[in-house]
PDB file of all heavy atoms in Angstrom:
ATOM      1  N   GLY A 245     -36.560  21.329  11.962  1.00  0.00           N
ATOM      2  CA  GLY A 245     -37.190  22.299  12.858  1.00  0.00           C
ATOM      3  C   GLY A 245     -37.663  23.589  12.211  1.00  0.00           C
ATOM      4  O   GLY A 245     -38.044  24.540  12.853  1.00  0.00           O
ATOM      5  N   ALA A 246     -37.609  23.641  10.848  1.00  0.00           N
ATOM      6  CA  ALA A 246     -37.985  24.896  10.210  1.00  0.00           C
ATOM      7  C   ALA A 246     -38.294  24.569   8.705  1.00  0.00           C
ATOM      8  O   ALA A 246     -37.938  23.521   8.221  1.00  0.00           O
ATOM      9  CB  ALA A 246     -36.947  25.960  10.276  1.00  0.00           C
ATOM     10  N   SER A 247     -39.044  25.467   8.042  1.00  0.00           N
ATOM     11  CA  SER A 247     -39.305  25.284   6.627  1.00  0.00           C
ATOM     12  C   SER A 247     -38.051  25.517   5.761  1.00  0.00           C
ATOM     13  O   SER A 247     -37.069  26.142   6.178  1.00  0.00           O
ATOM     14  CB  SER A 247     -40.357  26.338   6.205  1.00  0.00           C
ATOM     15  OG  SER A 247     -39.830  27.623   6.200  1.00  0.00           O
ATOM     16  N   PRO A 248     -38.013  25.043   4.544  1.00  0.00           N
ATOM     17  CA  PRO A 248     -36.865  25.292   3.695  1.00  0.00           C
ATOM     18  C   PRO A 248     -36.539  26.739   3.489  1.00  0.00           C
ATOM     19  O   PRO A 248     -35.411  27.130   3.511  1.00  0.00           O
ATOM     20  CB  PRO A 248     -37.279  24.622   2.341  1.00  0.00           C
ATOM     21  CG  PRO A 248     -38.285  23.591   2.754  1.00  0.00           C
ATOM     22  CD  PRO A 248     -39.005  24.099   3.863  1.00  0.00           C
ATOM     23  N   ARG A 249     -37.601  27.559   3.369  1.00  0.00           N
ATOM     24  CA  ARG A 249     -37.397  29.058   3.228  1.00  0.00           C
ATOM     25  C   ARG A 249     -36.685  29.657   4.495  1.00  0.00           C
ATOM     26  O   ARG A 249     -35.811  30.448   4.314  1.00  0.00           O
ATOM     27  CB  ARG A 249     -38.664  29.750   2.910  1.00  0.00           C
ATOM     28  CG  ARG A 249     -38.536  31.221   2.520  1.00  0.00           C
ATOM     29  CD  ARG A 249     -39.834  31.799   2.162  1.00  0.00           C
ATOM     30  NE  ARG A 249     -40.411  31.133   1.023  1.00  0.00           N
ATOM     31  CZ  ARG A 249     -40.145  31.410  -0.275  1.00  0.00           C
ATOM     32  NH1 ARG A 249     -39.196  32.332  -0.541  1.00  0.00           N
ATOM     33  NH2 ARG A 249     -40.673  30.735  -1.268  1.00  0.00           N
ATOM     34  N   ALA A 250     -37.149  29.210   5.669  1.00  0.00           N
ATOM     35  CA  ALA A 250     -36.520  29.751   6.859  1.00  0.00           C
ATOM     36  C   ALA A 250     -35.102  29.233   7.001  1.00  0.00           C
ATOM     37  O   ALA A 250     -34.246  30.003   7.482  1.00  0.00           O
ATOM     38  CB  ALA A 250     -37.367  29.285   8.078  1.00  0.00           C
ATOM     39  N   LEU A 251     -34.837  27.991   6.643  1.00  0.00           N
ATOM     40  CA  LEU A 251     -33.482  27.462   6.708  1.00  0.00           C
ATOM     41  C   LEU A 251     -32.563  28.174   5.780  1.00  0.00           C
ATOM     42  O   LEU A 251     -31.422  28.422   6.105  1.00  0.00           O
ATOM     43  CB  LEU A 251     -33.535  25.943   6.435  1.00  0.00           C
ATOM     44  CG  LEU A 251     -34.233  25.038   7.401  1.00  0.00           C
ATOM     45  CD1 LEU A 251     -34.406  23.697   6.772  1.00  0.00           C
ATOM     46  CD2 LEU A 251     -33.380  24.911   8.661  1.00  0.00           C
ATOM     47  N   ARG A 252     -33.060  28.508   4.617  1.00  0.00           N
ATOM     48  CA  ARG A 252     -32.264  29.283   3.652  1.00  0.00           C
ATOM     49  C   ARG A 252     -31.911  30.658   4.239  1.00  0.00           C
ATOM     50  O   ARG A 252     -30.796  31.088   3.949  1.00  0.00           O
ATOM     51  CB  ARG A 252     -32.988  29.434   2.329  1.00  0.00           C
ATOM     52  CG  ARG A 252     -32.422  30.535   1.432  1.00  0.00           C
ATOM     53  CD  ARG A 252     -32.442  30.083  -0.051  1.00  0.00           C
ATOM     54  NE  ARG A 252     -31.494  29.058  -0.331  1.00  0.00           N
ATOM     55  CZ  ARG A 252     -31.399  28.387  -1.504  1.00  0.00           C
ATOM     56  NH1 ARG A 252     -32.297  28.628  -2.415  1.00  0.00           N
ATOM     57  NH2 ARG A 252     -30.456  27.523  -1.740  1.00  0.00           N
ATOM     58  N   GLY A 253     -32.750  31.257   4.993  1.00  0.00           N
ATOM     59  CA  GLY A 253     -32.550  32.555   5.553  1.00  0.00           C
ATOM     60  C   GLY A 253     -31.554  32.597   6.704  1.00  0.00           C
ATOM     61  O   GLY A 253     -31.185  33.664   7.187  1.00  0.00           O
ATOM     62  N   GLU A 254     -31.120  31.405   7.160  1.00  0.00           N
ATOM     63  CA  GLU A 254     -30.158  31.424   8.293  1.00  0.00           C
ATOM     64  C   GLU A 254     -28.845  32.103   8.017  1.00  0.00           C
ATOM     65  O   GLU A 254     -28.266  32.753   8.798  1.00  0.00           O
ATOM     66  CB  GLU A 254     -29.885  29.964   8.756  1.00  0.00           C
ATOM     67  CG  GLU A 254     -31.137  29.328   9.454  1.00  0.00           C
ATOM     68  CD  GLU A 254     -30.801  27.869   9.840  1.00  0.00           C
ATOM     69  OE1 GLU A 254     -29.659  27.340   9.593  1.00  0.00           O
ATOM     70  OE2 GLU A 254     -31.736  27.269  10.368  1.00  0.00           O
ATOM     71  N   THR A 255     -28.332  31.874   6.770  1.00  0.00           N
ATOM     72  CA  THR A 255     -27.149  32.550   6.324  1.00  0.00           C
ATOM     73  C   THR A 255     -27.309  32.905   4.865  1.00  0.00           C
ATOM     74  O   THR A 255     -28.092  32.356   4.116  1.00  0.00           O
ATOM     75  CB  THR A 255     -25.890  31.583   6.359  1.00  0.00           C
ATOM     76  OG1 THR A 255     -26.228  30.359   5.615  1.00  0.00           O
ATOM     77  CG2 THR A 255     -25.617  31.161   7.811  1.00  0.00           C
ATOM     78  N   ALA A 256     -26.534  33.935   4.460  1.00  0.00           N
ATOM     79  CA  ALA A 256     -26.622  34.291   3.045  1.00  0.00           C
ATOM     80  C   ALA A 256     -26.000  33.210   2.171  1.00  0.00           C
ATOM     81  O   ALA A 256     -24.924  32.717   2.465  1.00  0.00           O
ATOM     82  CB  ALA A 256     -25.855  35.595   2.792  1.00  0.00           C
TER      83      ALA A 256
END
Side-chain angles (χ1 to χ4, degrees):
S247 69
R249 189 175 298 276
L251 292 167
R252 164 142 287 173
E254 289 178 359
T255 57

